[in-house]
Amino acid sequence: MPLKLFRFVPAAALSAIVAFAAPALCGSDGAMRYWTEVPEAGHIAKAQTLPDFVELAAKLSPAVVNISTEEAPESESEGEYEGPPYSHQRGKSLGSGFIVSKDGYILTNDHVIENPHKVTVTLQNGHNYAAKVVGGDPKTDVALLKIDAGNDLPVAPLGNSDDVKVGQWVMAIGNPFGFDHSVTVGVVSAKGRFLPDSLDQFIQTDASINPGNSGGPLIDLNGGVVGVNSAIYTRTGQNMGIGFAIPINLVKEELPQLRERGKVTRGWLGVYIQEVTPELAESMDLKEAKGALVAEVLKGSPAAIAGVKRGDVIVEFDGHPISDRRELPLLVAETPLGKTVTLKVIRDKQAQTLSTTITESHEAELASAESTPKFGPGVRSSFGLRVQDLSPDLAHQLGLDADSGVMISGVEPGSRAEEAGLQKRDVILEVNRSPVKDVNAYQQALKAGGKGSIVLLLVKRGDSTLYFALKPEA
């Protein structure tokens, strides 16, 4: 493509052109102006200088610590090797933390001290201490350690993360790549960021956070810790200008439980939920793609007691609107045990209000079936699926309690089914809210829906159920 060329105009000619054109482009009343200009007062505003982080770094750095962990050695059997058994070298994990009390309590990330055999804390003055793991919470990635130094230690005061504003300056201190007490600065890029498998609504910052910074403090200009550095977004394993910190106000709520009980007990509703996509909203005749779609209700749970049903869309929890389904778990987790709450749900296009009492979670960890049964080729179906009847024997191999249904034996690459997220070994239980017990019933239900309509499937996957909306085939 040729370069765009500009032709210079003599100054005299230019002044004539300006004099002629100015009234036409923006008259005295500004009627033709379609942009907004800075008010005159803005031109005389005093320029602000960059903040000085020297004093802040000097004050807070002594409270930041280096954390290293060692895993227990793994012994190898002799096997064919003629000699004494040997052990793998103990793996070391380096991270950061900061002291929150003079008697030696230290905050860090849970993933920093995951499954440790030994935890060592190193202060800025070089003194090393063996640390005790007091408690940890994988859901929020927070852990509490304790060291006995025999004297009062410098502390990092905790601030108020609710007061953090997007665009304000922040400073991070940590030990990236093992380089002790490195200071980086930046601004708060965003608030309320969700990351997978976490209850946190993270603070996003462009202050450089690299491996080894995990567990270190994010500090505002008042010298208060507003976040615990936890994660980075990266494609290279190094900082790309997008770091995430756990809001300190969330951590404050957990600290008493971590110190007293070693873990965090949260409220529990007892539902599996999924996002309400535009396709799902259309298939369910919802006005907006908002809320949390209930894919499964666990027996005996607060949700079951309240009367929540699979297919309900929870749009409000105890007076708080649910726009994004990821907001619901955080709201439930923050609810005191024993509190009675109200749920607003959409069921069959009608809004209903339900009430229940939040209890402590007693949900067991669910494990998927280990066996991998052999499946037949199945019958080719719409949307790029191959399906077959779910026999009792096949259900047993899959570890399902169902003895009928339609199992997906294959998903065609690039098909509508693959786009929607359906997988081999999923079991189709319903088509457009109608139960299907075999392939014939499944095919008839598809035909009854008519061509050109979005098809809503209820699918069993492992121990969970999920809804999928399939777009009409071209």
Side-chain angles (χ1 to χ4, degrees):
M1 181 181 293
L3 291 174
K4 185 175 182 180
L5 302 178
F6 294 89
R7 183 169 62 88
F8 288 98
V9 180
L14 180 61
S15 61
I17 293 174
V18 173
F20 173 78
L25 287 176
C26 48
S28 59
D29 60 353
M32 297 185 65
R33 182 181 294 160
Y34 56 87
W35 63 88
T36 301
E37 293 195 357
V38 178
E40 288 298 321
H43 292 293
I44 60 175
K46 293 182 179 179
Q48 295 184 355
T49 60
L50 292 176
D52 185 354
F53 292 97
V54 175
E55 183 177 347
L56 202 60
K59 182 179 179 180
L60 274 297
S61 288
V64 179
V65 303
N66 183 300
I67 298 174
S68 61
T69 65
E70 294 183 7
E71 297 177 357
E74 299 178 9
S75 297
E76 293 282 345
S77 59
E78 294 184 24
E80 297 180 359
Y81 176 72
E82 295 181 0
Y86 62 94
S87 299
H88 287 302
Q89 183 178 2
R90 291 179 176 181
K92 285 194 174 183
S93 171
L94 293 176
S96 304
F98 55 97
I99 306 168
V100 295
S101 68
K102 292 182 179 180
D103 57 347
Y105 282 96
I106 296 170
L107 267 176
T108 186
N109 285 147
D110 185 72
H111 76 259
V112 170
I113 49 91
E114 189 176 11
N115 300 321
H117 172 67
K118 180 181 178 182
V119 179
T120 301
V121 167
T122 304
L123 305 186
Q124 187 185 36
N125 59 17
H127 292 169
N128 296 326
Y129 299 93
K132 174 186 175 183
V133 178
V134 178
D137 180 44
K139 285 287 187 181
T140 53
D141 197 18
V142 173
L144 185 64
L145 308 179
K146 177 69 165 65
I147 62 172
D148 294 317
N151 57 274
D152 287 349
L153 295 172
V155 300
L158 306 187
N160 185 351
S161 55
D162 290 343
D163 290 342
V164 169
K165 302 292 190 297
V166 174
Q168 79 172 58
W169 284 98
V170 285
M171 179 178 73
I173 307 178
N175 306 288
F177 304 106
F179 292 103
D180 293 346
H181 293 81
S182 296
V183 175
T184 57
V185 298
V187 298
V188 173
S189 305
K191 293 179 64 178
R193 291 293 198 216
F194 286 103
L195 297 183
D197 302 319
S198 177
L199 286 176
D200 304 342
Q201 289 183 291
F202 287 85
I203 298 171
Q204 181 183 328
T205 178
D206 66 353
S208 292
I209 298 173
N210 282 294
N213 273 106
S214 292
L218 188 70
I219 304 161
D220 65 15
L221 293 182
N222 295 321
V225 177
V226 293
V228 182
N229 298 323
S230 180
I232 60 173
Y233 175 81
T234 179
R235 293 178 179 173
T236 65
Q238 299 179 7
N239 176 266
M240 295 181 66
I242 303 179
F244 299 96
I246 305 161
I248 202 64
N249 285 9
L250 177 62
V251 179
K252 289 179 185 178
E253 295 175 2
E254 297 186 353
L255 279 177
Q257 291 194 59
L258 289 175
R259 179 174 176 174
E260 300 299 326
R261 305 178 57 187
K263 64 178 182 178
V264 177
T265 301
R266 296 187 177 85
W268 179 60
L269 190 58
V271 290
Y272 288 112
I273 58 173
Q274 63 183 96
E275 179 186 1
V276 181
T277 63
E279 293 78 17
L280 283 171
E282 181 181 346
S283 68
M284 302 173 76
D285 289 329
L286 299 176
K287 294 180 180 179
E288 295 180 292
K290 293 184 177 181
L293 174 59
V294 178
E296 187 172 354
V297 181
L298 301 181
K299 294 180 181 179
S301 67
I305 295 172
V308 176
K309 296 182 178 180
R310 185 167 58 197
D312 287 350
V313 177
I314 301 174
V315 294
E316 191 175 291
F317 177 85
D318 208 28
H320 299 278
I322 307 296
S323 298
D324 189 307
R325 57 102 180 167
R326 294 172 294 186
E327 298 170 351
L328 181 60
L330 184 58
L331 288 170
V332 174
E334 293 176 341
T335 303
L337 301 182
K339 181 181 179 181
T340 299
V341 299
T342 57
L343 301 172
K344 183 178 179 181
V345 304
I346 304 297
R347 181 184 299 167
D348 298 328
K349 307 178 190 178
Q350 301 295 321
Q352 297 189 28
T353 300
L354 310 173
S355 64
T356 190
T357 300
I358 297 300
T359 64
E360 180 180 348
S361 174
H362 57 273
E363 179 184 2
E365 293 295 330
L366 301 176
S368 58
E370 295 181 359
S371 59
T372 306
K374 296 180 180 180
F375 306 130
V379 176
R380 193 181 188 285
S381 177
S382 304
F383 306 105
L385 289 173
R386 297 193 74 86
V387 296
Q388 68 181 82
D389 290 339
L390 179 67
S391 64
D393 180 61
L394 195 54
H396 177 71
Q397 293 182 58
L398 284 169
L400 299 174
D401 55 6
D403 56 2
S404 64
V406 179
M407 192 197 69
I408 298 175
S409 58
V411 180
E412 184 178 325
S415 64
R416 297 291 195 193
E418 186 186 56
E419 289 178 5
L422 289 165
Q423 300 175 6
K424 186 177 180 179
R425 294 197 293 173
D426 285 348
V427 177
I428 300 172
L429 303 177
E430 294 180 3
V431 176
N432 293 329
R433 301 296 183 91
S434 298
V436 290
K437 294 185 176 181
D438 54 32
V439 172
N440 288 334
Y442 163 77
Q443 300 284 37
Q444 291 175 6
L446 288 179
K447 292 179 181 178
K451 293 184 177 181
S453 301
I454 290 181
V455 175
L456 182 66
L457 300 182
L458 177 65
V459 166
K460 184 81 170 178
R461 178 177 294 169
D463 293 302
S464 302
T465 52
L466 298 166
Y467 282 100
F468 292 89
L470 295 176
K471 298 178 182 178
E473 293 183 301

